Every structure is written in C-alpha cells, then in structure tokens.
Amino acid sequence: MSDPSPLRESPSDDAYLRSLGYEEGFDRSVSLWSNFALGFLYLSPLVGIIALFGLGLTTAGPPVFWWILIAAGGQFLVSLVFGEVVSQYPIAGGLYQWARRLWSGSYAWMLSWIYIAGVIIGITTTALFSADFVQALLNGNAADPGTASTPGQKFVIAIVVTLVGLLLNATGSKTLARIAKVGLAAELGGIILVGLYLLVFERHNSVSVFFDTMGTGGTGGYASPFLASALVGLLLFYGFEACGEVAEETPNPGRTIPRSMQMTVLIGGAAALFAFVGYVLAAPDLQGIVNGDITNPIPVILQSTLGTVGTKIFLVVALTSFLACVMGQQAAASRLIFSFARDDMFPRSAWFSRLSPRTHVPVNALIAANVLPVGLYVFIYFSPDSLLRIAAFQMLAGYFAFQMVVLASMRARRKGWRPAGRFSLGRAGWPVSVSALAYGVFAMVLLAKPSGDGSLPFYDRWISLIGFLVVAGTGLTYLLVMKPSRGSSAPEGDAVEVARQLRASHSTSTHSTAALTDSTAALTERTIHG
C-alpha cells in the first residue's frame, strides 16, 4: 500500500490507483467484454436455470417464472448503486473496499467476513450442482437420460471441478479472461440456439401455463409455495459484483465496470428468461415434472427434443459454464481475501497478500478460498438433502453484504457524498438506493424463512438463518476481541473528501483546457493577421 497522493483524474489507471493509496500489482488484461463475461458466468443463467428448474416447478409450478423478473429488477437497482461506488473506487476487493471507503474499516471487515463465507459456499454449491450433469453426460442414455449422481459421485466430481478451476486460475488473469470469453460464447450460444429450436420446433405447451399453478397450491392457497420458490430467481442474480473484484485487472475501470455490471444483470436476466420459457414450453410431460416424478428434468427434455447426440453436446456446453462459474467465484473470493490482507485486516496478512511474481495472481489467497469447500463436500456427502438449504444460506449472506454496501452509500450520501466517478445516478441516487434497499430486505426475509417440510429437524429447517447467525456471530466476536482494523493504516470513510477532490480536479482540468483553447485561438488569430 502506498501513501495517497493528491487525487487527480489521469489517463493512467495506475496513477489513479496510486492516488487512492495503492500500488499497481496486477496485469490489466481484462477487457470490457472479459469483465462482462466474468460477471455473466459468475451469475451464469444457464447454470442457475438447469440446476433449479426442477425445484422451482415442483415447488410452485410454471409461475415461478415471475421470480426471474422480480429478482432481475431488484438486482439491477443494486447494480446501479454499486456502479456509482466502483466508479469512484475501482480497487480490487470490490465490496470490502467500497464499504471501507464509504463507512469504516470495521464495518467493511464485518461485511467481508459474511460475504467471503457466501462466495466460498457458492463455490461449493456450483461444483456440487454440476455432478448430475457430469453423470448424465457420462452415463445417460436414451432410456434414462437424466440419471442422477450418488452422494459419492457428487463428492468426487465436485473435488475435480474445484481442483481444475483452481489450477486454471493460478495461471493468471489472462487464462481467466480467456475461459470467461469461451464460457460466455458457449453459454449464450447454448441458450439462444437451443432455446430457439425448442420454441420454434418443439413446443408442447401453451404460454398460458405460466399462469397455471398445476396443483402446487394444494388446499392451503398458492402464496406460500410461490414465496418458497423465490430461490429460483434470487440465486440467479448473484455474481455481477465480481466485475468489481477484478477492478485492478481492468483498463479504464471507472467507466468499464459499471457498464459490465449492468450488462450482466440485463443480458443474464434475458438469457435466463429465454432458457426457462423454452424448457417449460418444450417439456413433453410438464405435469410429471411438477409432480416430482422426473427428478432431473433438463436431460429428459433435451433427449426428447434433441436426441442423444444433441443432448451430449448441450451437456458439454453446460459443464463449460459450470467450470467457468466456479472459476469466477474462486477469483472473486481470492481477490477479496487479497484486498483484505493487503490492508492488514486478515490473519497472516503478509502471506495472503502475496502475489505470484510470475502470474501476478494471489495464489495463497486462491488456495485458501478452496479449503472450506472441501470440508463442505464431506458434510454434504453425509447429508445430501441439505444442499439446497445451504444454497439459501449462500444467498442470504450475499444479499446481506450487498445491502450493507447500499446502506453505507445512503449514509455517505446523507453526509454530503456526491459520487464523482465517471458513472453517477445524479438526482436519481436517493430513490434508486432506497428501492434497492427495500428489495434487498424483502429478499433476505424470504431467504431466512424455514423450510416448509415439517418432518425435518429444527436445525435443518432453519439451516439458512442458523448458518448466517453463526458466521455473523463468529465474525463479530473476532472483530470485537481482536480489533483487526486497529492495525490497518489503509484509508477509510473518505468518500466525501475523495469526491470533492475529484470534482476539483475535473474543474481544474476543464479550466486548463479552456485557457489552452483561448490561448491557441489568440495565437492563431495573431498569426493570420500578422
């Protein structure tokens, strides 16, 4: 970390980073499209849809489709708030750095502790969700295309996916960028081509099914199952913040990253809707899926429409997306741990903040981010039914961290902060922020709700909230006892002052340009009339 120099907009990204208190250490090899690809594949609509398609339909029927629209709208508001902050603070570490500069080091530490737990569990759930599709690729056939994986197979496949992602990430940012681009092309191609084919040639159901609960409401009304199915939408729109985690690896990040985050939500949302609608309308036995008779419905739908070869090709595309999604989560977690440690806010900070001299990647932080998932794979091996409830904890932790940033931005705005980066909401800042916070609180309430299965033990029904409280309580205890922010000299709570200096530099630059223009004009006139 360097001493902050006077703030001044500069065409040099490393000069601006230095003015914020940090030295350039990464390679800026992640372009706009690579940055967008990273966020898109972390969000990964294809992964989310094929992993939760059966759960959503079994819980609430085809109207679960509306949760995709609700979540997309709410998270787009959050991405606008994040865009203002990252535009002023394009620093590796994303949410941690934003909260630190908007509020304080202690506040940022608590947010990051919770968020790191959510991202690490995200690595776990994504790798485990891939297992059924690996099994379908290797052992599926025309008679049984959707064969499910056993707990042992899930364990082995998740370990392999995690290890491959770790090894590829360790080779550097360029590899991550290439994999992100390949994964983006594969995922969008798979969604668009397969979706169009299903909608044009393989429609078996009417559009009216999206207004048909198909018996999921039972005798107790439809509100409860519809709210219980919210995870389908909420889990999809998580990952756009990863665009900001690699800010120091992206050229012109103050302009690029806000655009990338917004594109991730909008294009990801459109792709998710397209895929979901295509699969529902092409399902040959939709009622059987809703009734739970078909446990792995996507391969079954593909087999009936694309045949064995087409299904296998699609599964390869899907598994490419799964791997890219895991790599994006690993990269986000490692950059956050690195940023945390660089500010001396993490145990063994010197070790975790070390960059590889060859690849310029925080390899130690990358390895650390993959230790806990291995332990969780063991737990889920013995308790396989807990996977979806653990995924709900992942989302609860993520949404809580998001809303801590939104709240910090509102507090800073009340204290006089006028965002001075290259992206600003202007007068819309307050209504957008309030709406984003309201949506986030609503989502957290849904995610904290217990499972509706009364036969489960108490701890299992409430595992999402209990897990969150354990993580938050552990982090708060460490914060109060060890006081990690006390040993850090990194800037904090300076959003108002930094924005003031940036506006001043803009004004100086404008006046200098105007003066230069006037001088040039005068000189030209003297030359003409000389």
Side-chain angles (χ1 to χ4, degrees), residues 410-419 495-497 499 503:
M410 293 171 66
R411 175 182 178 270
R413 200 181 294 272
R414 187 176 61 82
K415 288 180 171 289
W417 178 52
R418 290 166 50 210
V496 175
E497 178 60 22
R503 282 193 296 274

Side-chain angles (χ1 to χ4, degrees), residues 141-202:
N141 52 56
D144 186 14
T147 179
S149 56
T150 66
Q153 290 168 335
K154 278 186 169 65
F155 177 83
V156 173
I157 291 169
I159 291 288
V160 171
V161 170
T162 304
L163 183 60
V164 171
L166 172 62
L167 293 175
L168 289 172
N169 260 314
T171 63
S173 301
K174 290 182 179 178
T175 301
L176 177 64
R178 292 190 190 105
I179 294 292
K181 286 180 179 178
V182 170
L184 175 65
E187 180 150 346
L188 282 178
I191 289 174
I192 293 172
L193 294 177
V194 173
L196 281 174
Y197 178 80
L198 295 180
L199 288 173
V200 174
F201 299 109
E202 298 291 344

Side-chain angles (χ1 to χ4, degrees), residues 257-429:
I257 293 174
R259 290 172 61 192
S260 295
M261 290 194 292
Q262 293 156 30
M263 287 167 60
T264 296
V265 176
L266 292 176
I267 298 177
L273 279 171
F274 193 67
F276 188 87
V277 169
Y279 293 137
V280 168
L281 297 183
D285 185 9
L286 185 58
Q287 189 66 61
I289 298 173
V290 174
N291 293 344
D293 300 331
I294 302 172
T295 57
N296 194 10
I298 296 296
V300 174
I301 294 172
L302 294 175
Q303 179 66 42
S304 70
T305 55
L306 303 180
T308 302
V309 174
T311 299
K312 299 291 187 184
I313 293 173
F314 180 84
L315 289 173
V316 170
V317 171
L319 289 170
T320 302
S321 297
F322 271 105
L323 176 61
C325 184
V326 167
M327 287 184 63
Q329 292 166 328
Q330 290 171 329
S334 65
R335 271 48 169 190
L336 180 54
I337 292 172
F338 163 81
S339 184
F340 224 9
R342 182 172 60 176
D343 287 351
D344 295 318
M345 296 279 283
F346 208 69
R348 299 199 64 188
S349 291
W351 191 78
F352 283 114
S353 62
R354 192 176 301 158
L355 290 174
S356 165
R358 185 174 62 86
T359 62
H360 303 284
V361 167
V363 175
N364 295 338
L366 186 61
I367 293 171
N370 290 276
V371 173
L372 182 58
V374 176
L376 288 170
Y377 297 150
V378 175
F379 173 81
I380 293 170
Y381 171 78
F382 289 104
S383 182
D385 292 338
S386 64
L387 176 57
L388 289 172
R389 293 185 289 281
I390 288 176
F393 160 75
Q394 165 198 343
M395 296 310 305
L396 179 58
Y399 269 75
F400 189 86
F402 285 7
Q403 298 315 309
M404 286 185 73
V405 173
V406 173
L407 182 63
S409 74
M410 293 171 66
R411 175 182 178 270
R413 200 181 294 272
R414 187 176 61 82
K415 288 180 171 289
W417 178 52
R418 290 166 50 210
R422 295 181 178 181
F423 174 79
S424 175
L425 293 172
R427 293 182 179 179

Side-chain angles (χ1 to χ4, degrees), residues 452-468:
D453 186 353
S455 65
L456 293 172
F458 174 84
Y459 75 88
D460 210 352
R461 291 188 64 216
W462 290 90
I463 193 171
S464 174
L465 182 59
I466 291 173
F468 174 80

Side-chain angles (χ1 to χ4, degrees), residues 73-86 240 258 261-262 265-266 406 413 423-425 428-429 432-433 436:
Q75 290 294 66
F76 184 71
L77 295 174
V78 175
S79 75
L80 293 175
V81 176
F82 285 6
E84 283 195 309
V85 186
V86 72
F240 59 89
M261 290 194 292
Q262 293 156 30
V265 176
L266 292 176
V406 173
R413 200 181 294 272
F423 174 79
S424 175
L425 293 172
V432 168
S433 298

